[in-house]
Amino acid sequence: MEESIRERKKLNLWLRVILIIIICMGIFLPIIGIIKITSTIKNNNKKVIYSSTINRNSNYKVELYDNNYIDQKEMGADHIYISDLVKNIKFDLFYTYSATDKTDLNYSYDIKAKLCGENNNNATGEKDLIWEKDYTLMEEKNKSINNASGFNITENINIDFPKYNKEVSDFKRQFGINLDTYLKITMNIKYNGNYKDNKINKTDKVILEIPLGIQAFSIKENYDKKNTYNIYKNNNLLTLNNKLLISICIIIFIATSVLALLTYKAIFNIKPKSKYTKELDKILKSYGEIIVEVTTPVKTKNYNIINVKNIEEMIDLEEELRIPIILYESIYKHTATFTITYNKTIYKYILN
């Protein structure tokens, strides 16, 4: 028994879902695998062609007023200082850039200070910046090196501690706000250049914080002492194992792509639009009300067969006899057979 094209069942829903999953995995997983394999290769074969080491440091001395309690005129770093006894703070700031090879660099730096007042936010547990005031302690300096492996920055600044401490006291007295206040000193460094077509473009900071408005304080150094930056050249050599894995991924991708091309019409129930299909669709659209589609061919044994020239003749015959046109469509022969049975005669028109 032949099956009608128009009565042919769609692929089972679960089978379509499984095919879609297989196709998606077969296409995207190999792509992801190739990306990861090549990324791992690049990471494993990185070769350092230029390495730079950054050293940051600071030193300071706290000058004291004459007093009856402390004999020294100056105190070194890493101590606790009584605010009322501090006259001046002398800072030495150091920044060193050293590299493994010579190149040309432009660099600049300045030193800024900022008075900051923060309030504890009970809702978030964080500190909100309420007050700030900026100062320039040293204007920007621009310098360059030619065919050298690094540069050094050494600068000295004096901080008039009573001046900033008094400003904080006046602010608190005037507004009655209890703030955590400090002076933030920042040396800003910028440098740029090229090494064998690789850009060197960095910004850096050396930050110190001096608490203000409290009876005793210690100075906080808020920076990393040392960092290293590298420029790499990738040596992307594939090993035999990597080549094999990439080849497997490519084969899976190609095979899945072919499967997708062969099955996408069945998955999405897309019917091919040949000249035959278009003509059949046109007939059914125009005369569908008088055409009955069946799944088995009409039996012609013991009947007189008359072949009709075209579909229009079949329509005229149907109007004359008032008998529906029977349509049987063969999946194997790709033909549509229209018949009208009247007494012992079968009128037949075949579209192929």
Side-chain angles (χ1 to χ4, degrees), residues 29-45 236-239 241-250:
L29 289 182
I31 293 174
I32 295 170
I34 290 172
I35 292 172
K36 286 199 170 185
I37 291 170
T38 53
S39 176
T40 302
I41 292 167
K42 288 181 181 180
N43 290 334
N44 291 339
N45 290 282
N236 299 328
L237 297 176
L238 295 178
T239 64
N241 290 336
N242 291 326
K243 286 182 179 179
L244 179 61
L245 289 173
I246 291 176
S247 299
I248 291 172
C249 289
I250 292 172

Side-chain angles (χ1 to χ4, degrees), residues 56-73:
R56 308 170 191 86
N57 208 346
S58 62
N59 194 20
Y60 53 90
K61 293 181 179 180
V62 177
E63 186 179 358
L64 304 178
Y65 288 112
D66 290 334
N67 64 88
N68 296 324
Y69 307 101
I70 300 175
D71 294 332
Q72 304 105 295
K73 296 293 183 179

Side-chain angles (χ1 to χ4, degrees), residues 312-328:
E312 285 77 15
E313 295 289 340
M314 292 293 290
I315 300 303
D316 292 340
L317 189 60
E318 185 277 335
E319 290 178 352
E320 181 181 339
L321 299 176
R322 296 296 177 182
I323 298 174
I325 299 172
I326 304 301
L327 167 62
Y328 169 71

Side-chain angles (χ1 to χ4, degrees), residues 94-111:
F94 309 100
Y95 188 90
T96 303
Y97 178 96
S98 56
T100 55
D101 205 352
K102 295 179 179 180
T103 189
D104 299 339
L105 285 176
N106 297 313
Y107 66 98
S108 62
Y109 61 94
D110 60 36
I111 302 176

Side-chain angles (χ1 to χ4, degrees), residues 71-92:
D71 294 332
Q72 304 105 295
K73 296 293 183 179
E74 288 184 340
M75 294 180 66
D78 301 323
H79 286 82
I80 303 296
Y81 312 101
I82 299 172
S83 298
D84 289 342
L85 299 182
V86 176
K87 180 180 180 181
N88 191 45
I89 304 175
K90 300 175 182 178
F91 283 98
D92 298 320

